[in-house]
Amino acid sequence: MPAIALTVLDKQPVATVGDVAFRTCLLEGEPRQRIVQCATLAVPENEADPSSKTIELLIVRLPTSGAQSTGDPLVALAGGPGQSASESFLWMDRWLSDVASTRDIYLIDQRGTGHSNPQRCDLAGVDAMTGDDPEQWRALGSACLEQFEGDPRFYLSEVAVRDLERVRRALNLPQWNVYGVSYGTRVAQLYMRHFPGALRTVVLDGVLPLPVALGPEIAVFSDAALKALLAQCEEDPSCHERFPELASGIVGLFQQLSGAPVMVRFESLKTGGWQEMRFERAHLTGVIRMALYNSHLLSVLPQALEAAYRNEDFTVLARLSAELDWSDQMAMGMHNSIVCSEDVPFYADASTEPLNDTYMGETLVQGMKALCDVWPRGKVSSGFKAPLVSSVPTLLLSGERDPITPPAYGDQVKEGLNQSRHLVVPARAHHVGPSGCVPRLIGQFVESADVDSIRADCLQRTQPVPLFFHRNGPSP
């Protein structure tokens, strides 16, 4: 089931845009809900076969807060791959208020996600903590594939771009502005390549270059982000005094869990009931990796790690691991279709041995190769991995400490864009759009469609995420 439930509250159209009639709907999921305008558009699963099944794409419209909307709204593309726009950006008009004051915002669930024929995997009874065993990864892939409702070969990025273009034309919009995050930047770049005239401006947040096969470099970039965190603590006298053994303690935890997993009993924050977990090295890897994405989790990570390496108390780490279970937020079937068609086939034959010097190791790369052994591979265009060359005005955004799409990726994409600007937010990680003054900068760019109009001095006032030294928070 989708993480956010959709209920149509009134069958009578509340607004019509082009050929699309929008109705009042409730999007509801713990702990949030919102009344929005929603519609669907039918598209063929297999574009080459008119008799193939159809997919109903969910379109959410967040009307402008101003008196009148411009004719070029903004459409948001979610990351993952496997996240849905209707969940990821449900409150986008609140943090991107400058844009929303003059423009409608559209959230379109990419095929296979959210409420557009979602391809989620119920893995009850399957050991999802796969670790280093390729057979477990294959079992995970096979279990997910059995539940796929449709043909996995047709849930790819270029197909999604053509879906977006069908929606734009149905809405009768001459152009729109695109905001893509993480994997969504791949879809945005493909949109720029195939339909440049449809796009007025593009914002790429957490930039993934088209030539990059996502996977082999993740461990390297995440390790660099962890080292930046350790350096931050080492250079801060208060943090170093509070956590003098943080680096060595992390090494010790990995060594301990490699040989002897720990049984942990803790109270679930989701259900309030007691839960047991066999906490393994892979759980620790997952907690650290996800915390490096998220500033809120990063703040409490040193405390959680210290409790484990100093006091043998794994409660907080286990609870974080359980809370970070993305199975109810990610459409893993769609994710597998993307990765097994657009990434894994392009992994170079170079040795992955250097990854063993990182805290993640080569587990993810080898695991995805094994999973894709059992997953059907879709067809991408012959120039799919070619660098993007485009004249569409583009703002690129990166976090200085991004653990998966570092600033170097933004620089790489910028080389092919002749109307672009790349802003790096100091001491921040992945998806910096909502951070500090960045929403205002996005607003300036979308309003003017001119990268030179952006006044970005405010970024230099960005401070590192404060680390909690105790339960009451960071030091004053």
Side-chain angles (χ1 to χ4, degrees):
M1 293 293 291
I4 289 189
L6 173 68
T7 305
V8 178
L9 301 179
D10 190 345
K11 294 184 178 180
Q12 294 299 316
V14 67
T16 299
V17 182
D19 298 327
V20 181
F22 288 87
R23 293 168 173 78
T24 302
C25 299
L26 174 66
L27 284 171
E28 184 176 21
E30 291 295 336
R32 52 193 170 172
Q33 62 177 14
R34 186 174 186 185
I35 293 176
V36 297
Q37 295 180 13
C38 70
T40 60
L41 182 71
V43 297
E45 182 182 63
N46 179 1
E47 299 166 296
D49 181 6
S51 65
S52 71
K53 65 178 286 186
T54 58
I55 298 170
E56 296 286 337
L57 300 177
L58 175 67
I59 308 168
V60 172
R61 177 175 179 253
L62 305 178
T64 178
S65 60
Q68 187 173 357
S69 175
T70 64
D72 51 83
L74 182 138
V75 59
L77 311 180
Q83 294 177 301
S84 72
S86 65
E87 180 173 2
S88 298
F89 301 116
L90 185 57
W91 300 96
M92 188 180 200
D93 54 335
R94 303 297 173 86
W95 59 264
L96 210 55
S97 57
D98 287 357
V99 172
S101 67
T102 58
R103 288 172 168 81
D104 296 339
I105 293 178
Y106 287 95
L107 315 178
I108 302 168
D109 283 349
Q110 186 170 332
R111 61 166 62 199
T113 73
H115 292 273
S116 298
N117 195 29
Q119 301 299 336
R120 298 180 180 274
C121 298
D122 180 2
L123 300 176
V126 178
D127 185 3
M129 185 47 61
T130 51
D132 298 326
D133 186 354
E135 288 306 316
Q136 286 184 295
W137 284 87
R138 292 187 184 96
L140 192 69
S142 296
C144 189
L145 184 59
E146 289 178 0
Q147 301 172 46
F148 203 100
E149 297 182 0
D151 190 327
R153 299 173 299 166
F154 302 127
Y155 290 74
L156 306 183
S157 300
E158 289 177 305
V159 183
V161 166
R162 292 190 287 272
D163 286 343
L164 287 169
E165 188 59 7
R166 287 186 177 94
V167 173
R168 184 189 68 85
R169 293 173 182 177
L171 293 170
N172 196 27
L173 299 172
Q175 287 185 313
W176 54 10
N177 306 277
V178 169
Y179 175 93
V181 174
S182 193
Y183 158 74
T185 68
R186 174 184 289 177
V187 178
Q189 290 172 76
L190 291 169
Y191 205 168
M192 294 166 73
R193 170 179 290 168
H194 293 294
F195 300 100
L199 308 179
R200 179 176 171 272
T201 67
V202 174
V203 179
L204 304 176
D205 182 354
V207 187
L208 178 61
L210 291 178
V212 169
L214 193 61
E217 293 182 314
I218 291 176
V220 176
F221 297 145
S222 191
D223 204 67
L226 176 59
K227 289 176 179 175
L229 170 66
L230 295 175
Q232 175 187 339
C233 190
E234 183 74 21
E235 295 165 5
D236 182 335
S238 298
C239 186
H240 180 62
E241 180 180 0
R242 175 66 182 82
F243 304 110
E245 302 171 348
L246 185 58
S248 60
I250 292 173
V251 173
L253 284 176
F254 277 116
Q255 292 174 343
Q256 174 187 349
L257 293 170
S258 294
V262 176
M263 290 302 302
V264 187
R265 188 171 185 265
F266 60 95
E267 194 171 9
S268 171
L269 296 180
K270 290 183 179 180
T271 66
W274 288 96
Q275 184 173 343
E276 287 192 352
M277 176 184 291
R278 188 174 185 266
F279 194 84
E280 304 181 12
R281 178 190 172 100
H283 291 99
L284 179 62
T285 299
V287 169
I288 293 176
R289 182 187 174 200
M290 291 300 104
L292 292 171
Y293 277 76
N294 187 307
S295 60
H296 300 294
L297 291 176
L298 191 62
S299 295
V300 302
L301 182 63
Q303 261 197 299
L305 292 167
E306 186 206 34
Y309 66 70
R310 184 181 294 275
N311 302 319
E312 292 287 323
D313 182 359
F314 287 79
T315 304
V316 177
L317 288 176
R319 183 176 286 128
L320 285 173
S321 181
E323 293 297 309
L324 290 170
D325 178 7
W326 281 14
S327 60
D328 61 346
Q329 301 178 33
M330 296 276 285
M332 292 307 300
M334 177 270 195
H335 171 277
N336 295 344
S337 286
I338 296 291
V339 171
C340 293
S341 299
E342 301 177 6
D343 294 296
V344 172
F346 298 93
Y347 286 179
D349 294 331
S351 171
T352 58
E353 186 173 345
L355 302 184
N356 290 324
D357 294 330
T358 70
Y359 80 91
M360 286 181 62
E362 62 177 355
T363 296
L364 178 64
V365 172
Q366 299 299 348
M368 288 309 302
K369 286 181 178 179
L371 185 149
C372 292
D373 285 344
V374 302
W375 201 268
R377 178 177 171 181
K379 183 179 180 180
V380 300
S381 63
S382 58
F384 182 80
K385 286 297 183 183
L388 175 66
V389 177
S390 177
S391 298
V392 177
T394 307
L395 172 62
L396 303 99
L397 301 171
S398 298
E400 182 184 26
R401 298 185 184 177
D402 193 317
I404 188 168
T405 53
Y409 276 0
D411 291 338
Q412 181 178 335
V413 172
K414 188 179 186 302
E415 292 179 2
L417 309 178
N418 61 16
Q419 295 189 67
S420 65
R421 188 169 175 185
H422 183 202
L423 302 180
V424 179
V425 183
R428 285 296 181 267
H430 197 57
H431 182 17
V432 297
S435 301
C437 66
V438 179
R440 178 158 49 86
L441 304 183
I442 296 172
Q444 293 172 9
F445 171 61
V446 173
E447 181 62 28
S448 66
D450 178 8
V451 293
D452 294 328
S453 71
I454 304 170
R455 301 180 297 278
D457 294 347
C458 60
L459 293 179
Q460 302 311 312
R461 296 192 291 271
T462 307
Q463 298 296 316
V465 173
L467 303 177
F468 282 35
F469 294 165
H470 43 70
R471 293 182 179 179
N472 292 328
S475 63

